[in-house]
């Protein structure tokens, strides 16, 4: 699958989400987003010691914007149906982040395969219906214990991350404590964007769903 080439203004790089490595279901798109605070390859990368750096730095794929070009992040949502996916994505000429569903069978092994190929991973937000702040703590504890090298969470619009302000704030507090980032749908009064700013969590909004 070849992602469409798109240039966005340098002042506001955003995140493009592709609907799965081999999936059909789309994700809700968004309006304009916020600046993505991502590490470069200066002092970062897969060799960083976990626990001594924020997760977003320690487990990020190193990259260099040598041409000082406008930036756009690409996230592939993996449904686990593409054999050889990690090797294929790792061979792409641009850095790509892969989102893994922590509720899927074999999610930990799938995430480990992506990391072994040098691809950075996120996890899909999967909070329970009617989640309370305490549910966030329990869910994130389990998810990040299973996929410890996740650089952040992506909420495609139905992950429960913005069902309640207290839930959103609790989620951002946990991400801030781990040094992880977040990707959320854009448009409207974005509760997650505001809460992330208050907690100091790097965040991006979904610019387009392909």
């Amino acid at each position: 699958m070849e992602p469409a080439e798109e240039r966005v203004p340098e002042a506001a790089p955003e995140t493009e989400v592709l609907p799965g490595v081999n999936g059909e279901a789309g994700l809700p798109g968004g309006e304009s987003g916020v600046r993505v605070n991502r590490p470069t390859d200066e002092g970062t990368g897969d060799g960083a010691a976990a626990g001594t750096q924020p997760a977003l730095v320690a487990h990020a794929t190193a990259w260099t914007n040598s041409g000082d070009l406008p930036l756009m992040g690409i996230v592939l949502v993996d449904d686990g149906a593409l054999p050889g996916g990690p090797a294929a994505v790792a061979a792409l000429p641009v850095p790509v982040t892969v989102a893994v569903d922590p509720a899927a069978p074999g999610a930990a092994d799938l995430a480990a395969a992506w990391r072994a190929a040098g691809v950075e991973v996120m996890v899909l937000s999967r909070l329970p219906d009617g989640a309370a702040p305490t549910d966030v703590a329990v869910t994130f504890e389990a998810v990040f214990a299973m996929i410890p090298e996740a650089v952040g969470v992506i909420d495609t619009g139905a992950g429960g991350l913005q069902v309640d302000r207290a839930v959103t704030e609790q989620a951002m507090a946990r991400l801030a404590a781990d040094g992880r980032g977040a990707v959320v749908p854009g448009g409207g009064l974005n509760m997650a964007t505001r809460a992330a700013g208050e907690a100091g969590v790097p965040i991006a909004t979904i610019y387009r769903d392909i």
Side-chain angles (χ1 to χ4, degrees), residues 1 3-4 6 14-21 23-31 72-77 154-157 183-186 205-210:
M1 174 170 50
E6 180 132 5
E14 295 158 331
T15 297
E16 189 149 355
V17 178
L18 305 188
V21 172
E24 300 296 333
L27 305 177
E31 301 296 330
M72 178 182 66
I74 299 174
V75 179
L76 294 175
V77 180
I154 179 170
D155 180 4
T156 63
V183 175
V184 298
T205 55
I206 297 172
Y207 170 62
R208 180 171 296 176
D209 167 21
I210 297 180

Side-chain angles (χ1 to χ4, degrees), residues 132-134 136-137 140 165-175:
T134 52
V136 177
F140 278 18
R165 181 172 179 80
V167 167
T168 304
E169 291 177 347
Q170 178 66 32
M172 293 304 164
R174 174 55 195 266
L175 294 177

Side-chain angles (χ1 to χ4, degrees), residues 69-144:
L69 300 174
L71 302 179
M72 178 182 66
I74 299 174
V75 179
L76 294 175
V77 180
D78 185 10
D79 62 2
L82 180 64
V89 172
L92 293 175
V94 294
V96 174
T97 303
V98 171
V100 174
D101 186 349
D109 291 339
L110 185 60
W114 285 111
R115 292 298 296 132
V119 179
E120 70 180 26
V121 298
M122 303 188 81
V123 291
L124 290 171
S125 178
R126 284 286 183 262
L127 295 178
D129 293 339
T134 52
D135 296 317
V136 177
V138 172
T139 300
F140 278 18
E141 183 69 26
V143 167
F144 294 135

